[in-house]
């Protein structure tokens, strides 16, 4: 059995390729019984669970990858889930907010302890000619707000994932405005790495190659056949309307592939630049010299992708 730990406490449309590969029997053809796991963070981050051997594959953030290096249990990123980051500002057409500087004088819902996102917001405001000090930033605590917080008048806008939370409301999709951090080139990065333990990779190189090949095929199928992807996702996402599933798949699918149409590749130099930004902001738990040494030592590799 191969357990894949997702990054959130719930599945979402960004996992479509994994579900498609399993539903189509791709994993089974390579004798892999793949189980998807998610849940609360009581036992730690996906990276911590992976390092302890409680799963074989995990979707891991940049900082967490480099917090779990060294020895056989050190983590290795073998693919990128998306070719961009996922965050930005969500609002409605009626708010009159169409760019970052329009947030001045407005109330913005912000996830608690999301310090990296706040650093990105400050940079985006400054780059767009705005002043973060003029934004009424309200912590949402442990609640990840969605578009219903706009409809209820709780916030004028909120910061969250741009491909999911914006569409969890009753408004028609054309009333929703999303403003990505990537639109201004703020700290571009891969939001999640597909990771395994180093010792697992060394013992199971063929398994990792097959898993990545099958997953890449699953993402291509999910992008090319939206109806099949919806049928596959509707069971794990039974609380989500088909309209929302269809719309979010349309938006998220292009982010799965690089300009050559490949799922998974990582630009090592771009990762180095992001690591430098993260270190400069004080978000890394290890010195930059250690994270760069880990990159040089193979902590991030495209060698097992089928391209």
């Amino acid at each position: 059995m191969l357990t894949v730990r997702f990054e959130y406490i719930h599945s979402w449309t960004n996992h479509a390729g994994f579900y498609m590969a399993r539903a189509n029997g791709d994993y089974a053809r390579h004798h892999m019984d793949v189980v998807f796991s998610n849940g609360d963070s009581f036992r730690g981050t996906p990276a911590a669970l992976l390092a302890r051997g409680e799963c074989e594959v995990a979707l891991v953030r940049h900082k967490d990858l480099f917090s779990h290096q060294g020895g056989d249990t050190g983590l290795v990123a073998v693919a990128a889930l998306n070719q961009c980051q996922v965050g930005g500002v969500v609002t409605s057409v009626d708010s009159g907010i169409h760019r970052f500087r329009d947030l001045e004088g407005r109330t913005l819902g912000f996830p608690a302890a999301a310090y990296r996102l706040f650093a990105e917001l400050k940079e985006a405001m400054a780059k767009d000619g705005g002043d973060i000090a003029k934004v009424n930033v309200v912590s949402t605590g442990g609640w990840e707000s969605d578009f219903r917080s706009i409809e209820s008048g709780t916030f004028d806008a909120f910061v969250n994932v741009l491909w999911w939370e914006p569409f969890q409301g009753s408004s028609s999709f054309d009333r929703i405005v999303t403003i990505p951090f990537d639109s201004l080139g703020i700290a571009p990065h891969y939001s999640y790495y597909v990771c395994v333990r180093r010792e697992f990779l060394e013992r199971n190189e063929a398994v990792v190659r097959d898993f990545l090949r099958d997953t890449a095929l699953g993402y291509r199928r999910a992008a090319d056949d939206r109806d099949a992807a919806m049928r596959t996702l509707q069971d794990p996402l039974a609380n989500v309307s088909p309209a929302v599933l269809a719309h979010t798949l349309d938006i998220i699918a292009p982010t799965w592939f690089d300009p050559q149409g490949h799922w998974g590749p990582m630009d090592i130099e771009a990762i180095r630049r992001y690591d430098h930004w993260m270190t400069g902001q004080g978000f890394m738990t290890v010195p930059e010299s250690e994270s760069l040494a880990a990159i040089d030592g193979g902590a991030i590799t495209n060698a097992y992708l089928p391209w």
Side-chain angles (χ1 to χ4, degrees), residues 107-127:
T107 297
L108 177 72
F110 209 92
Y115 305 116
R116 174 186 58 81
L117 289 176
F118 193 73
E120 291 193 62
L121 178 65
K122 287 196 297 184
E123 286 195 14
M125 287 291 293
K127 191 169 185 178

Side-chain angles (χ1 to χ4, degrees), residues 148-160:
R148 287 167 288 193
S149 67
I150 304 290
E151 294 172 332
S152 67
T154 305
F155 309 121
D156 297 308
F158 63 90
V159 170
N160 211 323

Side-chain angles (χ1 to χ4, degrees), residues 7-24:
E7 72 282 16
Y8 285 143
I9 62 171
H10 56 76
S11 298
W12 61 305
T13 42
N14 205 25
H15 302 148
F18 292 107
Y19 281 104
M20 287 286 282
R22 189 174 68 175
N24 281 279

Side-chain angles (χ1 to χ4, degrees), residues 226-249:
R226 190 186 67 180
D227 290 341
M230 286 178 59
R231 288 194 300 271
T232 301
L233 287 173
Q234 193 66 81
D235 182 53
L237 299 177
N239 60 316
V240 179
S241 76
V244 170
L245 282 180
H247 192 68
T248 57
L249 281 168

Side-chain angles (χ1 to χ4, degrees), residues 146-221:
D146 59 35
F147 202 75
R148 287 167 288 193
S149 67
I150 304 290
E151 294 172 332
S152 67
T154 305
F155 309 121
D156 297 308
F158 63 90
V159 170
N160 211 323
V161 175
L162 296 180
W163 314 320
W164 185 249
E165 278 81 0
F167 310 103
Q168 303 298 304
S170 59
S171 298
S172 60
F173 299 143
D174 62 359
R175 309 304 296 170
I176 297 165
V177 174
T178 59
I179 312 171
F181 290 124
D182 274 348
S183 66
L184 290 183
I186 305 299
H189 62 278
Y190 304 108
S191 289
Y192 310 106
Y193 301 114
V194 181
C195 291
V196 296
R197 291 186 308 283
R198 189 175 298 277
E199 56 84 15
F200 181 86
L201 179 60
E202 292 173 352
R203 289 187 294 106
N204 299 280
E205 179 179 323
V207 171
V208 172
R209 290 186 185 278
D210 287 342
F211 175 79
L212 292 176
R213 184 182 299 107
D214 294 340
T215 302
L217 179 59
Y219 274 97
R220 174 48 61 192
R221 284 176 170 157

Side-chain angles (χ1 to χ4, degrees), residues 6-300:
F6 291 150
E7 72 282 16
Y8 285 143
I9 62 171
H10 56 76
S11 298
W12 61 305
T13 42
N14 205 25
H15 302 148
F18 292 107
Y19 281 104
M20 287 286 282
R22 189 174 68 175
N24 281 279
D26 299 314
Y27 295 139
R29 276 188 287 276
H30 286 114
H31 309 290
M32 288 183 285
D33 178 14
V34 177
V35 176
F36 303 135
S37 169
N38 48 27
D40 63 36
S41 59
F42 178 76
R43 293 188 55 78
T45 65
L49 297 177
L50 179 60
R52 291 200 301 266
E54 296 185 28
C55 55
E56 287 70 49
V57 181
L59 304 184
V60 173
R61 296 181 187 275
H62 184 92
K63 178 181 74 173
D64 293 336
L65 169 63
F66 294 103
S67 297
H68 295 83
Q69 290 297 311
D72 288 344
T73 60
L75 306 189
V76 179
V78 291
L81 185 58
N82 303 94
Q83 293 294 309
C84 60
Q85 61 177 307
V86 303
V89 169
V90 180
T91 186
S92 70
V93 170
D94 299 331
S95 73
I97 300 169
H98 300 286
R99 54 192 303 172
F100 287 100
R101 72 184 184 196
D102 292 339
L103 291 168
E104 290 187 352
R106 313 305 291 273
T107 297
L108 177 72
F110 209 92
Y115 305 116
R116 174 186 58 81
L117 289 176
F118 193 73
E120 291 193 62
L121 178 65
K122 287 196 297 184
E123 286 195 14
M125 287 291 293
K127 191 169 185 178
D128 199 32
D131 184 353
I132 187 65
K134 295 180 180 179
V135 182
N136 179 27
V137 179
V138 177
S139 172
T140 62
W143 169 46
E144 287 200 2
S145 53
D146 59 35
F147 202 75
R148 287 167 288 193
S149 67
I150 304 290
E151 294 172 332
S152 67
T154 305
F155 309 121
D156 297 308
F158 63 90
V159 170
N160 211 323
V161 175
L162 296 180
W163 314 320
W164 185 249
E165 278 81 0
F167 310 103
Q168 303 298 304
S170 59
S171 298
S172 60
F173 299 143
D174 62 359
R175 309 304 296 170
I176 297 165
V177 174
T178 59
I179 312 171
F181 290 124
D182 274 348
S183 66
L184 290 183
I186 305 299
H189 62 278
Y190 304 108
S191 289
Y192 310 106
Y193 301 114
V194 181
C195 291
V196 296
R197 291 186 308 283
R198 189 175 298 277
E199 56 84 15
F200 181 86
L201 179 60
E202 292 173 352
R203 289 187 294 106
N204 299 280
E205 179 179 323
V207 171
V208 172
R209 290 186 185 278
D210 287 342
F211 175 79
L212 292 176
R213 184 182 299 107
D214 294 340
T215 302
L217 179 59
Y219 274 97
R220 174 48 61 192
R221 284 176 170 157
D224 292 345
D225 191 342
R226 190 186 67 180
D227 290 341
M230 286 178 59
R231 288 194 300 271
T232 301
L233 287 173
Q234 193 66 81
D235 182 53
L237 299 177
N239 60 316
V240 179
S241 76
V244 170
L245 282 180
H247 192 68
T248 57
L249 281 168
D250 286 346
I251 294 171
I252 201 171
T255 76
W256 294 330
F257 309 105
D258 72 2
Q260 287 70 48
H262 297 148
W263 176 86
M266 298 169 286
D267 182 333
I268 304 299
E269 290 308 311
I271 292 172
R272 289 176 181 273
R273 290 192 293 272
Y274 180 60
D275 189 76
H276 182 71
W277 182 87
M278 286 283 286
T279 301
Q281 294 290 337
F283 298 143
M284 297 294 288
T285 58
V286 301
E288 186 173 9
S289 59
E290 289 188 20
S291 54
L292 293 179
I295 293 173
D296 291 339
I300 297 175

